Amino acid sequence: MHQINKLAYYLVILFIILSINFSLPRVMPGDPLSYLTDPGADIPPARMTEEKMERLLAYYGLDKPLSEQYINYMVGIIRGDLGWSIYYSAPVLEVISGRLKWTLLLVGTSTAIHVTLGILIGATSAWARGRKKDMGLLISILSISSFPSFFLGILLTILFVIKLDIFPLCGAQTAFATYSSPFEEIFDILHHLILPVATLVISHIGGTYLLMRNSMLGVLGEDYIMTARAKGLSERYILHRHALANALLPIVTMTAMTVGFMVTGTIFVETVFAYPGIGNLLYNAVLYRDYPLLQGLFLFISITIVGANFIADMIYIRLDPRVKHE
Amino acid sequence: MIEGRKILGSIGLVILAVFAIVAVLAPHIAPYDPHQMYGRMEHPSSRHLLGTDNIGNDILSELIYGTRVSLFIAFVVSTISMLVGTSLGLIAGYFDKLGFLIMRVVDVFLTIPRLPLIIVIASFIRPSVWNLIAIFLIFGWLMTARIIRSEVLTLRRRYYVDATKMIGGSDLYILWRHILPNVVPLVVVQFIMETIHVILAESGLSFLGLGDPTAMSWGMVLHDAFVCPVIYGSDIWMWWMLPPGLCIVFTVLGLTFVGYALEETLNPKLKSSVIGMEL
């Protein structure tokens, strides 16, 4: 029953996101096309040819009544038709899927490292509660979290690219490179991946760290930990067998939210490192005011994040039966 | 422990005070009008302490006026969010049916990814300080409302509330006199968290080029520097990129420290949660 409720809730959210996406260009002053042809705009509008204009008009279907536009839009989405990118002159879905692998690589790697580090540092900190080690970690991580991801990326660029020159400036691969072996290609990709991943991990570590620390502090106050101590078990054994597993529970939900933060974070990190993924695409869409692409990306990113949250909710219900009764 | 909290809080307060003074006294402190054009891309000199940017504006003056823009947006959004969020949270916690409705709206808005939507809306409207404020306000009140509501849910079951009811205190009187004072610590901490969130979101949006071009915030200065093709070519980044970035970092740091100290002082039961924003 609980699962069905959750599913219905997420379907409503999906419907609302789709509706927001539909209304945005239509409720703003003027019509969507006026932005693209506005001579007063401070951003160079993408070159508009007659053909592109027509495609755009057809996509928005502004000559038809609103209800018909809405139905057509929904049917289009179900069919996977996200419109036509003005800047790239290609279907939005095609443009997005072409960039997807890089973002998957970036977000996947970062999430894995982020969660592992967050758990380890958080648990260490809580275990040393109130001592110098704990306070040091807490203050360092609070401070690191004050860096906006784009500024952190810029700092890492200055240090490791400009000053030390040990990492490439931008991109996901060396341009026009020919590889003599697959290992060389993998090495090149990893070489380009390190700085963006480091930026994403460092700028987001605070959330998981604090959650793990708090969760662990809560668990350490439980009766069964005291029982374990009373039984004379070693501290290491208590930490690993009794405390850690139970403290990990909230991290499951957090991981899904982390994926959401990471996907949002890629907008900035991929921009700073010109990493050819979804986030960089969004920056370009903003820069050139490519509205169909921008809206397609908004839908894509939102559905990914909401989907991740849905999965987390489902897993959580299975892991912690107490949730059902709340 | 106690000492650490006090030291952190004091450091935070000093940082915030400096920025607040700079924001208020900007026209008196700034050496030049930030829109006045001088020689382009000048290196730091006694005339222009942080040099000039690609259109010849004095960077130091831009930053000083930028303090105004960044802090003003954050302050207005957090204040209105605090008032709206607290009121709705109180109502939602005290009146069941209304509360159910309000909380459904809050849940839905909190599930929709905040930053992507803000970016899309900001690209559709003409960027101006007030438009940015309006966009941030859509989401600003949500967390406050949720947190205040859950606190009110427990507060309203206290004996003193029942006692006040018995001697004929009205709902409004109970909310105002007995419940509101008890949620003030939460409201204050939430206000700081929202300020941090808005400063980071605004600088992020401006960094992407979606800020108000007539009122440069720190993020906009960073954006201009970032899109400049020769930015890494020489040492320009030292006076064009580092200062605006550090301004953002120090403001957030100041707020984080004050928030942490306040949270530990006002509500020791609460676990520190000042960070974890989505940037």
Side-chain angles (χ1 to χ4, degrees):
Chain A
M1 202 49 217
H2 198 87
Q3 274 99 330
I4 295 170
N5 277 345
K6 276 279 169 202
L7 185 65
Y9 172 72
Y10 278 100
L11 284 177
V12 171
I13 301 279
L14 186 64
F15 178 74
I16 291 172
I17 289 176
L18 287 173
S19 302
I20 291 176
N21 200 42
F22 171 81
S23 343
L24 271 175
R26 291 170 176 85
V27 296
M28 295 300 167
D31 63 80
L33 293 183
S34 68
Y35 294 97
L36 298 165
T37 50
D38 182 6
D42 52 328
I43 292 97
R47 286 186 303 280
M48 293 296 286
T49 59
E50 282 295 313
E51 189 215 347
K52 283 185 182 175
M53 271 304 225
E54 267 167 32
R55 274 186 187 281
L56 204 61
L57 261 177
Y59 172 61
Y60 284 117
L62 294 171
D63 45 338
K64 296 179 188 123
L66 209 58
S67 56
E68 201 182 324
Q69 288 178 36
Y70 190 65
I71 294 168
N72 284 345
Y73 162 80
M74 286 293 189
V75 172
I77 297 285
I78 293 166
R79 285 210 202 121
D81 175 16
L82 293 178
W84 185 267
S85 160
I86 304 160
Y87 182 70
Y88 292 95
S89 261
V92 167
L93 197 65
E94 219 171 79
V95 178
I96 295 180
S97 53
R99 300 288 196 101
L100 198 55
K101 60 174 180 185
W102 295 118
T103 299
L104 281 179
L105 180 67
L106 186 57
V107 170
T109 318
S110 309
T111 307
I113 297 177
H114 166 105
V115 172
T116 318
L117 271 183
I119 290 173
L120 286 179
I121 306 178
T124 311
S125 200
W127 196 248
R129 167 173 207 175
R131 274 177 269 148
K132 263 195 183 146
K133 196 184 192 181
D134 178 37
M135 288 317 281
L137 281 173
L138 184 68
I139 292 173
S140 326
I141 293 202
L142 282 176
S143 308
I144 282 176
S145 300
S146 301
F147 285 73
S149 52
F150 50 89
F151 186 54
L152 192 68
I154 287 172
L155 288 182
L156 291 182
T157 304
I158 291 170
L159 181 61
F160 290 106
V161 181
I162 312 298
K163 290 284 157 202
L164 298 176
D165 197 21
I166 46 175
F167 290 111
L169 177 62
C170 59
Q173 271 175 302
T174 309
F176 311 115
T178 43
Y179 302 108
S180 55
S181 70
F183 291 112
E184 211 177 315
E185 185 174 1
I186 292 172
F187 176 77
D188 189 42
I189 291 174
L190 286 180
H191 197 205
H192 282 79
L193 189 64
I194 292 174
L195 279 187
V197 165
T199 310
L200 265 182
V201 169
I202 298 174
S203 57
H204 290 81
I205 196 80
T208 306
Y209 162 80
L210 276 185
L211 189 74
M212 185 63 200
R213 180 174 176 270
N214 290 343
S215 168
M216 191 76 174
L217 286 178
V219 168
L220 291 180
E222 296 276 351
D223 292 338
Y224 56 80
I225 298 291
M226 203 196 284
T227 311
R229 287 224 166 94
K231 285 196 293 188
L233 298 177
S234 76
E235 287 291 297
R236 266 184 82 86
Y237 189 83
I238 297 173
L239 174 66
H240 291 288
R241 299 292 301 201
H242 289 75
L244 212 50
N246 286 302
L248 280 179
L249 213 51
I251 302 289
V252 177
T253 326
M254 187 64 193
T255 304
M257 284 169 68
T258 304
V259 173
F261 293 153
M262 292 283 175
V263 172
T264 311
T266 57
I267 299 171
F268 298 101
V269 172
E270 287 184 5
T271 299
V272 170
F273 293 101
Y275 202 79
I278 301 292
N280 187 242
L281 195 60
L282 185 81
Y283 175 66
N284 286 335
V286 167
L287 207 60
Y288 299 112
R289 293 296 193 273
D290 186 342
Y291 288 108
L293 181 58
L294 193 59
Q295 288 193 271
L297 282 167
F298 165 67
L299 260 194
F300 186 82
I301 292 175
S302 309
I303 292 174
T304 310
I305 296 176
V306 170
N309 285 339
F310 174 67
I311 294 171
D313 269 355
M314 291 293 115
I315 296 176
Y316 201 68
I317 291 172
R318 295 203 137 226
L319 284 185
D320 190 349
R322 284 173 297 182
V323 180
K324 274 184 206 166
H325 306 296
E326 267 168 22
Chain B
M1 272 295 270
I2 300 160
E3 284 308 307
R5 177 220 308 164
K6 276 187 183 158
I7 294 169
L8 277 189
S10 318
I11 296 175
L13 271 182
V14 170
I15 296 175
L16 293 184
V18 169
F19 279 114
I21 291 169
V22 170
V24 172
L25 299 179
H28 303 286
I29 299 175
Y32 302 100
D33 175 355
H35 299 294
Q36 185 70 43
M37 291 180 204
Y38 302 91
R40 292 177 185 187
M41 309 280 280
E42 276 182 28
H43 285 210
S45 61
S46 53
R47 281 179 59 233
H48 301 285
L49 287 178
L50 290 177
T52 58
D53 68 6
N54 56 334
I55 53 169
N57 292 340
D58 179 60
I59 294 176
L60 179 64
S61 306
E62 271 186 332
L63 285 182
I64 291 175
Y65 275 88
T67 313
R68 247 186 182 188
V69 180
S70 300
L71 293 192
F72 178 75
I73 293 178
F75 184 73
V76 172
V77 173
S78 320
T79 308
I80 300 179
S81 300
M82 175 181 70
L83 295 176
V84 174
T86 309
S87 318
L88 288 177
L90 285 174
I91 295 170
Y94 200 79
F95 304 103
D96 288 325
K97 279 183 186 153
L98 216 54
F100 181 79
L101 269 177
I102 295 174
M103 280 310 118
R104 288 295 81 76
V105 175
V106 169
D107 284 346
V108 166
F109 271 92
L110 278 178
T111 316
I112 297 172
R114 181 167 168 169
L115 207 69
L117 183 57
I118 286 180
I119 290 175
V120 175
I121 298 178
S123 344
F124 270 108
I125 61 177
R126 203 163 285 285
S128 76
V129 167
W130 289 104
N131 278 344
L132 285 178
I133 289 177
I135 299 175
F136 289 129
L137 278 177
I138 303 175
F139 293 93
W141 58 280
L142 299 166
M143 246 355 227
T144 312
R146 175 184 269 185
I147 289 171
I148 299 303
R149 173 188 175 255
S150 59
E151 184 70 8
V152 173
L153 280 180
T154 62
L155 288 175
R156 65 184 256 212
R157 304 204 196 292
R158 298 280 165 88
Y159 290 129
Y160 57 79
V161 172
D162 289 339
T164 318
K165 267 188 194 153
M166 273 187 353
I167 58 169
S170 70
D171 288 338
L172 214 64
Y173 177 84
I174 294 173
L175 272 176
W176 183 254
R177 282 300 300 270
H178 294 290
I179 296 190
L180 182 63
N182 281 306
V183 297
V184 164
L186 275 180
V187 172
V188 173
V189 172
Q190 198 53 37
F191 173 81
I192 290 174
M193 286 175 69
E194 188 56 33
T195 313
I196 293 175
H197 199 121
V198 175
I199 284 183
L200 286 175
E202 182 272 323
S203 61
L205 222 56
S206 300
F207 178 71
L208 295 179
L210 290 169
D212 185 343
T214 61
M216 298 273 280
S217 67
W218 294 326
M220 282 290 278
V221 178
L222 254 181
H223 168 79
D224 283 355
F226 179 71
V227 295
C228 175
V230 294
I231 187 67
Y232 295 129
S234 60
D235 286 340
I236 315 171
W237 53 266
M238 266 191 217
W239 52 87
W240 199 3
M241 278 183 139
L242 284 189
L246 290 177
C247 283
I248 301 169
V249 169
F250 278 115
T251 312
V252 175
L253 206 60
L255 285 163
T256 308
F257 284 172
V258 171
Y260 175 77
L262 272 177
E263 217 170 25
E264 297 273 304
T265 313
L266 295 174
N267 204 343
K269 277 183 300 178
L270 262 183
K271 294 293 187 281
S272 172
S273 56
V274 173
I275 48 173
M277 339 30 80
E278 46 179 294
L279 254 181

